Amino acid sequence: MGDDKRESIIASALELFRNIGYHNTKVSDIVKAAGIAQGTFYLYFKSKEDLFRQVVEACMDEIVGALDRTPSGSEELDGETVMYRMIRQSLLEYYKNRNVLYLINRHGADSPELSEVCKAYYGKLAQLIIRTLKHYCVFPGYTEEQLEIEAYAKIGMVEKAAYHCFIDKGYGLEQVELVTEVLVGIDCGPCKPPGADGGLS
Amino acid sequence: MGDDKRESIIASALELFRNIGYHNTKVSDIVKAAGIAQGTFYLYFKSKEDLFRQVVEACMDEIVGALDRTPSGSEELDGETVMYRMIRQSLLEYYKNRNVLYLINRHGADSPELSEVCKAYYGKLAQLIIRTLKHYCVFPGYTEEQLEIEAYAKIGMVEKAAYHCFIDKGYGLEQVELVTEVLVGIDCGPCKPPGADGGLS
Amino acid sequence: MGDDKRESIIASALELFRNIGYHNTKVSDIVKAAGIAQGTFYLYFKSKEDLFRQVVEACMDEIVGALDRTPSGSEELDGETVMYRMIRQSLLEYYKNRNVLYLINRHGADSPELSEVCKAYYGKLAQLIIRTLKHYCVFPGYTEEQLEIEAYAKIGMVEKAAYHCFIDKGYGLEQVELVTEVLVGIDCGPCKPPGADGGLS
Amino acid sequence: MGDDKRESIIASALELFRNIGYHNTKVSDIVKAAGIAQGTFYLYFKSKEDLFRQVVEACMDEIVGALDRTPSGSEELDGETVMYRMIRQSLLEYYKNRNVLYLINRHGADSPELSEVCKAYYGKLAQLIIRTLKHYCVFPGYTEEQLEIEAYAKIGMVEKAAYHCFIDKGYGLEQVELVTEVLVGIDCGPCKPPGADGGLS
DNA sequence: CATGAATGAGCCTTCATTCAT
DNA sequence: TATGAATGAAGGCTCATTCAT
């Protein structure tokens, strides 16, 4: 039952953060929406920012976790296919967690503490990408430094495209494929006709 | 002399916003740093948010303007070279305006009004990119929709890479070339050995 | 206990408004006098003006209510006696609510909203008087327009006299009779020796 | 030319005070309307309140002066006629100075200093009325105290009626006679048919 | 006399957090 | 666990007044 309340707070908060922004959302709004008393909030969260951090962190962990499991170790895959799958998986995760996608992009990481959460998230993502790039020898000649830049660029690429498509344009799940094709296309640019690079199952 | 004060306010504000965040910066902090009286602030800016918006908007206009002038009409260039130049130019602009790069990424666009500013900025960038992609037939078979996704992806790619390099890692101007190479490399992926694609003058 | 606080705020506010004026009274003064915290004020009143309006409105309603009940329906009375009683009752009410009498006359109805409250109050009083004048055929030949002027004149007469006596001169309850005699005397002017017009018990 | 500016300030101020209230009118509004610079205001008036006081005081002096001259000493008049003339004259003055009539009733006398101005005004009016009542033996048996109440009651009567007619109802000069008749009628009440008490030329 | 940029004290209101019940 | 009344620090903005030119 306590967990019910916790979930209720999180759900109400996400909704409100999304619609009116973190700084415009009052704790009193959250508890009203969650149907609990003002003081009860503090039985579940240390502070308003703690709630934000927990919510954001949870979503981020989910995204990182999903990506981490993407190239199922059992199969033999080439780098290109793996990249395709990771991008597709990222988009699916961003779609599922588009509330957080929205929050991070719209309302930023105002406090130093929250900023660390974001930095850590991007760091994990980057490491994951670098590991994959190395494992599949996607950029054989790259130094560690170049791989890092490459990784952050990819992160930005996917995130901004996801924001544009899922938030601004309201794309649904059925359009994830389309977006993936374009993003993967960037990886090989105009070299190959897009759409011809053999999708995936 | 009035402009002195205006500039002084902007400089102090940027510094403070950067260091402690928009929401943690008090107008009283800004005026103290600028060496003026509290009321004087409101002779130059309608509100704290107005200041933020003006600063951000001015920088964004500068960036868009610089990119708009990038492919000098007089020369005959191929698409690849133009893309290279635009990415390089973007990075230079983000370096020059890294305070704003920082602000937008760290502190978000909390108010609806500011959000519009950002949306307009990305919209202009995207249009500019789409126009260029079309003009140089970089993606001949792409629909308008695909071009748009492509454009936003590029924007995110450059922005996140710039943030990582200039803000997190503290890269200087002399490393812009390196970053550019990597980002351009994405455009042709592993097809060509990076660094071999003929830089530019 | 909540009502205790509300009453405490009202009492402190009236005292302060009276002594130093509405515009010179800070909310911080009120809460200090009421022995509560600054924020507590806003649990009971929407704003400083809201408090003023509520206080004033409550008193006005009380006055109007009291006058409305004045000519007890059971008795057979002539117009003159009824007027006497109404004037006497008005004076008693103004005495009881002399804080408001003071406020309205000293500090006015600065905001449009408050102005409406006053206008409504005088409007109700006027209607009440007109109704009575008609019912007892005090001015048989008067048009509606003339009755209205008559009513407002009476209102002003009583109010100004009350202000002068209760506020400026500090008259007590025991002098209400004296004032009533004079005011009623106006109604018959020098025709009859004042005090001879058969008051009331 | 200096007087031009002074008059311009006064005119603009009256207009603004009337329309939006003393407390809502900024000095910057006044100087803008008067077409002068902010600092110039203080060459002519010590402060905003000083301006208000001067404006109000001037109008009040005019009213008192006019009433003082009303019963032209050369004629032989009975008390009733004199009262008629004074009431009529008061109404005319209030009509002419209805801006001040409005100000005093709507925006009050918030500061102690201004309060003194009003008190003095009513005091002068009262003395003038008492003197007249005595001179024409209108209330032969009245004590000084009774006469004073009588005087203040008359003042309130005229003022409230004037406010109602000239401000609320928008009566023009041509209706002054009508109002006068009603107010004088109060003096003799229902004893005589109103309108039959011999007006005046 | 005139200007208008600069001043800075002042104040209402908000809202995250606490705590007695 | 749950409540919700109470807290009080905090801060953006106003505006009457001044003063160097």
Side-chain angles (χ1 to χ4, degrees):
Chain A
M1 186 189 182
D3 251 23
D4 270 11
K5 286 215 169 65
R6 209 188 109 90
E7 291 309 315
S8 170
I9 292 172
I10 289 180
S12 305
L14 257 179
E15 180 78 10
L16 282 161
F17 287 161
R18 220 217 115 117
N19 289 337
I20 62 176
Y22 174 75
H23 287 285
N24 296 322
T25 299
K26 296 175 254 180
V27 173
S28 67
D29 292 335
I30 297 172
V31 298
K32 212 177 296 163
I36 59 168
Q38 190 92 354
T40 308
F41 179 91
Y42 292 89
L43 295 176
Y44 295 92
F45 299 95
K46 223 172 65 250
S47 66
K48 183 186 164 188
E49 186 183 319
D50 177 50
L51 161 66
F52 190 53
R53 212 201 54 240
Q54 281 195 40
V55 169
V56 167
E57 215 164 7
C59 291
M60 286 175 169
D61 284 349
E62 192 184 324
I63 296 174
V64 171
L67 288 188
D68 210 13
R69 290 185 304 273
T70 297
S72 55
S74 56
E75 311 175 53
E76 275 304 303
L77 298 171
D78 62 306
E80 205 170 306
T81 306
V82 168
M83 274 299 118
Y84 183 97
R85 291 199 182 175
M86 284 190 73
I87 288 175
R88 190 167 167 281
Q89 193 60 41
S90 302
L91 288 170
L92 288 172
E93 290 299 324
Y94 276 132
Y95 180 79
K96 238 174 53 193
N97 295 285
R98 56 196 185 281
N99 271 332
V100 170
L101 175 62
Y102 180 86
L103 279 183
I104 288 302
N105 280 275
R106 272 294 297 279
H107 305 300
D110 203 357
S111 73
E113 197 189 4
L114 204 48
S115 159
E116 288 309 307
V117 173
C118 288
K119 200 167 176 177
Y121 165 65
Y122 290 123
K124 279 185 210 158
L125 276 190
Q127 283 317 309
L128 203 151
I129 293 170
I130 291 171
R131 193 175 351 116
T132 309
L133 291 176
K134 278 181 176 168
H135 186 263
Y136 293 96
C137 298
V138 185
F139 293 99
Y142 269 26
T143 64
E144 196 71 26
E145 191 179 22
Q146 286 173 313
L147 284 173
E148 202 170 280
I149 298 172
E150 180 76 36
Y152 278 94
K154 278 186 195 303
I155 292 171
M157 177 183 88
V158 175
E159 195 177 290
K160 188 69 84 189
Y163 187 89
H164 176 67
C165 294
F166 302 142
I167 309 287
D168 282 340
K169 311 281 279 193
Y171 279 20
L173 254 187
E174 68 284 2
Q175 281 153 303
V176 165
E177 217 62 46
L178 161 70
V179 183
T180 308
E181 298 287 344
V182 175
L183 295 188
V184 170
I186 289 183
D187 270 345
C188 289
C191 318
K192 304 177 189 173
D197 53 13
L200 114 155
S201 66
Chain B
M1 187 190 187
D3 252 24
D4 271 12
K5 288 216 166 60
R6 211 190 108 91
E7 292 310 317
S8 167
I9 293 172
I10 289 179
S12 307
L14 262 177
E15 181 77 11
L16 282 160
F17 287 161
R18 228 214 107 120
N19 290 338
I20 62 177
Y22 173 76
H23 287 286
N24 298 321
T25 300
K26 292 174 268 181
V27 173
S28 66
D29 293 335
I30 297 173
V31 298
K32 214 175 296 165
I36 58 168
Q38 189 91 354
T40 307
F41 177 91
Y42 294 90
L43 293 177
Y44 296 93
F45 300 95
K46 240 180 35 252
S47 65
K48 183 183 160 190
E49 185 182 321
D50 178 50
L51 161 65
F52 190 48
R53 212 203 55 239
Q54 279 195 42
V55 169
V56 167
E57 217 165 4
C59 291
M60 286 176 169
D61 284 348
E62 193 184 323
I63 296 174
V64 171
L67 288 189
D68 210 13
R69 290 186 304 272
T70 296
S72 57
S74 56
E75 311 176 53
E76 276 304 304
L77 299 171
D78 62 306
E80 206 170 305
T81 308
V82 169
M83 275 299 118
Y84 182 97
R85 291 200 183 175
M86 283 188 73
I87 288 175
R88 193 170 166 278
Q89 192 61 42
S90 302
L91 288 171
L92 287 172
E93 290 298 324
Y94 277 132
Y95 180 80
K96 236 173 55 192
N97 295 286
R98 57 197 183 283
N99 271 331
V100 170
L101 176 62
Y102 180 84
L103 278 184
I104 287 303
N105 280 275
R106 270 295 295 278
H107 306 299
D110 203 356
S111 76
E113 198 189 5
L114 200 49
S115 159
E116 289 308 307
V117 173
C118 288
K119 202 168 177 177
Y121 167 64
Y122 290 123
K124 278 186 211 158
L125 277 190
Q127 284 315 310
L128 204 151
I129 293 171
I130 291 171
R131 196 175 350 119
T132 308
L133 291 177
K134 278 179 175 170
H135 186 262
Y136 293 96
C137 299
V138 185
F139 292 99
Y142 268 26
T143 64
E144 196 71 27
E145 191 179 21
Q146 288 173 311
L147 284 173
E148 204 171 281
I149 298 171
E150 179 77 37
Y152 277 94
K154 277 186 194 304
I155 292 171
M157 175 184 90
V158 175
E159 197 176 289
K160 187 70 82 190
Y163 187 89
H164 176 67
C165 294
F166 302 141
I167 309 287
D168 283 340
K169 311 282 278 194
Y171 281 19
L173 254 187
E174 69 285 1
Q175 281 153 301
V176 165
E177 217 61 47
L178 161 69
V179 183
T180 309
E181 297 288 345
V182 175
L183 295 188
V184 169
I186 290 184
D187 271 343
C188 288
C191 317
K192 305 177 189 172
D197 52 15
L200 117 155
S201 65
Chain C
M1 187 190 186
D3 251 23
D4 271 11
K5 287 215 166 62
R6 210 189 109 91
E7 291 311 316
S8 167
I9 292 172
I10 289 179
S12 306
L14 261 177
E15 181 75 12
L16 282 160
F17 288 161
R18 227 213 108 121
N19 289 339
I20 62 177
Y22 172 77
H23 287 285
N24 298 321
T25 299
K26 291 173 271 182
V27 173
S28 66
D29 293 335
I30 298 173
V31 298
K32 213 176 296 164
I36 58 169
Q38 190 89 353
T40 307
F41 178 91
Y42 293 91
L43 294 177
Y44 297 92
F45 300 95
K46 240 181 33 252
S47 65
K48 184 182 159 190
E49 185 182 321
D50 178 49
L51 161 66
F52 191 47
R53 212 203 55 239
Q54 279 195 43
V55 169
V56 167
E57 216 166 5
C59 290
M60 285 175 170
D61 284 349
E62 192 183 324
I63 296 174
V64 171
L67 287 189
D68 210 13
R69 291 185 303 272
T70 297
S72 57
S74 57
E75 309 175 53
E76 275 304 304
L77 297 172
D78 62 307
E80 206 171 304
T81 306
V82 169
M83 274 299 117
Y84 181 97
R85 291 199 182 173
M86 283 188 74
I87 287 174
R88 192 168 166 278
Q89 192 62 40
S90 303
L91 288 171
L92 287 172
E93 290 298 324
Y94 277 132
Y95 180 80
K96 236 173 55 191
N97 295 286
R98 57 196 183 283
N99 270 331
V100 171
L101 177 63
Y102 179 84
L103 278 183
I104 287 302
N105 279 276
R106 269 296 294 279
H107 306 300
D110 203 354
S111 74
E113 198 189 5
L114 200 51
S115 159
E116 289 308 307
V117 173
C118 288
K119 202 168 177 176
Y121 166 65
Y122 290 124
K124 278 186 211 158
L125 276 189
Q127 284 317 308
L128 203 151
I129 294 171
I130 290 171
R131 196 177 348 121
T132 309
L133 291 176
K134 278 179 176 171
H135 186 262
Y136 293 97
C137 299
V138 185
F139 293 98
Y142 269 25
T143 64
E144 195 73 25
E145 190 180 24
Q146 288 173 311
L147 284 174
E148 203 171 281
I149 299 172
E150 179 77 36
Y152 277 94
K154 277 184 193 304
I155 291 171
M157 176 183 90
V158 175
E159 196 177 291
K160 187 70 83 190
Y163 187 89
H164 176 68
C165 294
F166 301 142
I167 309 287
D168 283 339
K169 310 282 279 194
Y171 280 19
L173 254 187
E174 68 285 1
Q175 280 151 303
V176 165
E177 217 61 47
L178 161 69
V179 183
T180 310
E181 298 288 344
V182 176
L183 295 188
V184 170
I186 289 183
D187 271 343
C188 288
C191 317
K192 303 177 189 173
D197 52 14
L200 121 152
S201 66
Chain D
M1 185 189 184
D3 251 23
D4 269 12
K5 286 214 168 65
R6 210 189 108 91
E7 291 309 315
S8 170
I9 291 172
I10 289 179
S12 305
L14 257 179
E15 180 78 11
L16 282 161
F17 287 161
R18 221 217 113 119
N19 289 337
I20 61 176
Y22 173 76
H23 287 286
N24 296 322
T25 300
K26 297 175 253 180
V27 173
S28 67
D29 291 336
I30 297 173
V31 297
K32 212 176 298 165
I36 59 168
Q38 190 92 354
T40 308
F41 178 91
Y42 292 88
L43 296 176
Y44 296 92
F45 299 94
K46 222 170 67 247
S47 66
K48 183 185 163 189
E49 186 182 320
D50 177 50
L51 161 66
F52 190 53
R53 213 202 54 240
Q54 281 194 40
V55 168
V56 167
E57 216 165 6
C59 291
M60 285 175 168
D61 284 349
E62 192 185 323
I63 296 173
V64 171
L67 289 188
D68 210 13
R69 290 185 302 274
T70 297
S72 56
S74 57
E75 310 175 53
E76 274 305 304
L77 298 171
D78 63 307
E80 207 170 302
T81 307
V82 168
M83 274 299 118
Y84 184 97
R85 291 199 182 174
M86 285 190 73
I87 288 174
R88 192 169 166 279
Q89 193 60 42
S90 302
L91 287 171
L92 288 172
E93 289 299 324
Y94 277 132
Y95 180 80
K96 238 174 51 193
N97 296 285
R98 56 196 184 282
N99 271 332
V100 170
L101 175 62
Y102 180 85
L103 279 184
I104 288 302
N105 279 277
R106 272 294 296 278
H107 305 300
D110 203 356
S111 72
E113 197 190 4
L114 203 49
S115 159
E116 289 309 307
V117 173
C118 288
K119 200 166 177 178
Y121 165 66
Y122 290 122
K124 280 186 210 159
L125 276 190
Q127 283 317 310
L128 203 152
I129 293 170
I130 292 172
R131 198 179 342 122
T132 309
L133 291 177
K134 277 181 176 169
H135 186 262
Y136 293 96
C137 298
V138 185
F139 292 98
Y142 268 25
T143 65
E144 196 72 25
E145 190 179 22
Q146 288 173 311
L147 283 174
E148 203 171 278
I149 299 171
E150 180 77 35
Y152 278 94
K154 279 187 195 300
I155 291 170
M157 175 183 89
V158 175
E159 197 177 288
K160 188 68 85 191
Y163 187 89
H164 175 67
C165 294
F166 301 142
I167 308 287
D168 283 339
K169 311 281 279 192
Y171 280 19
L173 254 186
E174 69 283 2
Q175 281 152 302
V176 164
E177 216 62 45
L178 162 70
V179 183
T180 310
E181 297 288 345
V182 175
L183 295 187
V184 170
I186 289 183
D187 271 344
C188 288
C191 318
K192 304 178 190 174
D197 52 15
L200 120 152
S201 64

